[in-house]
Amino acid sequence: MARSVLTADQFSKEQLVHLLDLSSRVEKALGRRRMLPILNEYILATLFFEPSTRTRLSFESAMHRLGGRVITSVGMQFSSLSKGETLYDTLKMVESYADICVIRHPMEGASQIAAKNISIPVINGGDGASQHPTQGILDLYTIHKYKKLMTDKIVIAFVGDIKYGRTIHSLIQYMSHFTGEFIFISPEELRLPEKYRKYLDEKRIPYTETEDINYLKEADVGYITRVQEERFLDHKEYEKFKDFYVVNSEMLAKCRSDIIIMHPLPRLSEISTDIDDKPQAKFFDQARNGLYVRMSLLLDLLGVPLGELDK
Ligand code: CP
């Protein structure tokens, strides 16, 4: 695998299958032991210039569980970027202080710029409305746990903000390595960007675009997303779409009984809490899977011996 994780399309199917297997191994090992002291000599830097709960905390937890150490910088206002320091100079400092880093930044391609300019592995923790490649791998891992990803055709319905939903952009590229079909359910204004439609067309992957939430009934996986308020230039547009779809127990009752409902979180009104205790609701499991997947990514990127995992 490349030494950095920047976009979903950098991964081959073999690399994805390897990461799914490694994540499963990590999950089993964590079932036996609370700590897996493998990265004791390493420091992770988490640089989050946009808000985050899951991505930052799960990466930090992953590093701690692996015996490593973490340094962190959260929010532009608390870094010297707010005093006018460039991202380049900031990154040169991080290179001196850490062995690997995760960056979340509002600018598309920020982590690619970082990877070009520093010598330590860079992980894209979300760049604007573009990509969120590690979220996509944990989403894939979740689908793999509950569905027959390696053998069956999986119909995924993506619901909500497909234009700005970066986790969707990464997941469709990962899913393109497996047998699947996509249904994109969104208002016309929030449909899949042209770049990704072209990607699917070139790979001859079938997909349907619709505004009709009833297409969720055809899906094996319902992947619901928040309307990404922070990406809208006109707040009135956001207000128009924010409550466009709500998946609740009434809707769930119309779906396949074995559908799984996923959401990258945070959620607002698009998933009603009345489905939280239904067996189909997998979004909290999905977030937990982020720990196993991010542990396996840290191990893989740092290229350390993995014998400790089988003790
Ligand atoms: N799914 C996700 O990226 O969550 P956070 O924004 O809380 O990191």
Side-chain angles (χ1 to χ4, degrees), residues 51-55 104 132 135 264-266:
S52 169
T53 296
R54 279 145 291 273
T55 309
R104 171 169 291 187
H132 194 345
Q135 174 74 40
L265 304 177

Side-chain angles (χ1 to χ4, degrees), residues 165-182:
R166 59 191 175 193
T167 70
I168 296 176
H169 306 159
S170 296
L171 182 55
I172 59 178
Q173 292 189 327
Y174 293 134
M175 282 302 296
S176 72
H177 293 288
F178 303 89
T179 314
E181 189 177 319
F182 302 130

